Amino acid sequence: MRKIIIAGNWKMHKTQAESLEFLQIFKSKLENANEAMEIVLCSAFTSLGVMSKSLHGSRIKLGAQNIHWEDKGAYTGEISGDMLTEIGVSYTIVGHSERRQYFGETDETVNLRLKAAQSHGIRPILCVGETKAQRDASQTEQIVINQLQKALVDVDLNNLVIAYEPIWAIGTGDTCQATEANRVIGLIRSQLDNKNVSIQYGGSVKANNIDEIMAQPEIDGALVGGASLDAATFARIVNYQ
Ligand code: PGA
């Protein structure tokens, strides 16, 4: 069964105090959210500890935004699976386009990070998606399939979420048409041997377009950046109609 998963990606936002302030409001607004849905918050590393304590006994799952492939070592600025699981992290984003664009992530490092997450029992959210230039050149399908093929070598499809995030739609307010996102996500699913992998859409998901996005048959949830920073707005998103 494909699970509905809505995840907030806070990127480099929120101090510990701001994270707790968000949770206080957000936790009180979930009574009507679909019981079967998974709600995930991917905070900055510095907030994970306080978030974990505050989420104890709540249905909200804790996520990180990256994970290194080694358990320890001379990797300045990185974080390991042991460090994340000790705090209670159960999801991590891997291969976000901002990591690929600004921090040199490649399909090969993405693959290593996916396998490391899974070996620690952390469910990775693998991000794939094309740039505007690639879309304009009609390369969307080829780019996405190529990213998947390289990222998924020896990856367990039973413990994986994929997020289709067209790069031109991230943080731009320029959402991909819901029907087009549905088409590409259907294509992604057709490439997978396991048909139960949850596939999210991400890129300018807002309170005013979530209902249409979630109405699409292939779309199993959303990865939400900017609109996950405000507790009331993100609550409206997880309470989609
Ligand atoms: P956005 O970001 O919702 O602000 O477009 C999505 C993401 O980067 O995951």
Side-chain angles (χ1 to χ4, degrees):
M1 259 274 286
R2 282 154 47 193
K3 209 177 177 63
I4 301 288
I5 304 170
I6 296 190
N9 171 13
W10 284 354
K11 309 191 180 185
M12 197 173 71
H13 291 281
K14 295 197 190 293
T15 61
Q16 296 182 62
E18 288 164 347
S19 303
L20 292 177
E21 208 175 307
F22 174 103
L23 285 186
Q24 208 180 7
I25 303 168
F26 184 67
K27 281 195 284 190
S28 69
K29 293 182 179 293
L30 301 179
E31 315 86 72
N32 299 324
N34 173 356
E35 285 291 327
M37 171 182 50
E38 195 101 306
I39 302 169
V40 185
L41 284 170
C42 301
S43 77
F45 294 138
T46 47
S47 286
L48 290 173
V50 292
M51 295 272 290
S52 180
K53 287 202 185 80
S54 171
L55 291 178
H56 191 74
S58 127
R59 62 174 289 187
I60 304 164
K61 298 284 196 301
L62 188 57
Q65 298 173 14
N66 206 357
I67 182 173
H68 195 264
W69 53 90
E70 294 291 346
D71 285 342
K72 58 175 76 132
Y75 301 101
T76 304
E78 290 285 331
I79 198 150
S80 76
D82 286 338
M83 295 169 185
L84 295 175
T85 50
E86 185 187 43
I87 313 179
V89 166
S90 49
Y91 281 84
T92 185
I93 298 169
V94 171
H96 190 279
S97 62
E98 288 152 13
R99 298 293 320 168
R100 296 178 192 251
Q101 187 182 348
Y102 305 134
F103 303 101
E105 293 274 349
T106 64
D107 291 318
E108 289 69 30
T109 58
V110 167
N111 173 255
L112 291 171
R113 293 181 198 272
L114 290 173
K115 289 186 290 193
Q118 292 187 331
S119 75
H120 285 92
I122 296 174
R123 176 174 288 188
I125 301 176
L126 162 66
C127 302
V128 296
E130 80 288 358
T131 63
K132 178 85 173 72
Q134 289 162 340
R135 173 159 283 261
D136 291 346
S138 305
Q139 293 170 346
T140 299
E141 293 77 4
Q142 179 196 326
I143 293 290
V144 168
I145 290 172
N146 190 45
Q147 286 174 335
L148 284 174
Q149 279 172 349
K150 290 188 173 148
L152 293 180
V153 176
D154 296 330
V155 167
D156 177 8
L157 298 182
N158 292 307
N159 191 26
L160 176 74
V161 180
I162 296 174
Y164 169 55
E165 296 209 305
I167 296 168
W168 48 273
I170 295 178
T172 57
D174 193 8
T175 326
C176 183
Q177 283 282 324
T179 49
E180 172 58 9
N182 187 67
R183 183 187 74 81
V184 179
I185 288 174
L187 173 83
I188 292 172
R189 196 179 315 283
S190 74
Q191 303 297 307
L192 306 174
D193 289 335
N194 182 332
K195 301 299 172 207
N196 291 323
V197 177
S198 297
I199 310 179
Q200 303 171 311
Y201 167 74
S204 296
V205 173
K206 306 285 178 211
N208 65 11
N209 58 27
I210 186 69
D211 298 345
E212 189 190 3
I213 290 165
M214 293 307 296
Q216 302 298 319
E218 295 287 354
I219 303 182
D220 303 321
L223 182 56
V224 186
S228 72
L229 292 172
D230 177 72
T233 305
F234 194 51
R236 170 63 185 85
I237 289 174
V238 301
N239 284 292
Y240 70 89
Q241 308 295 306

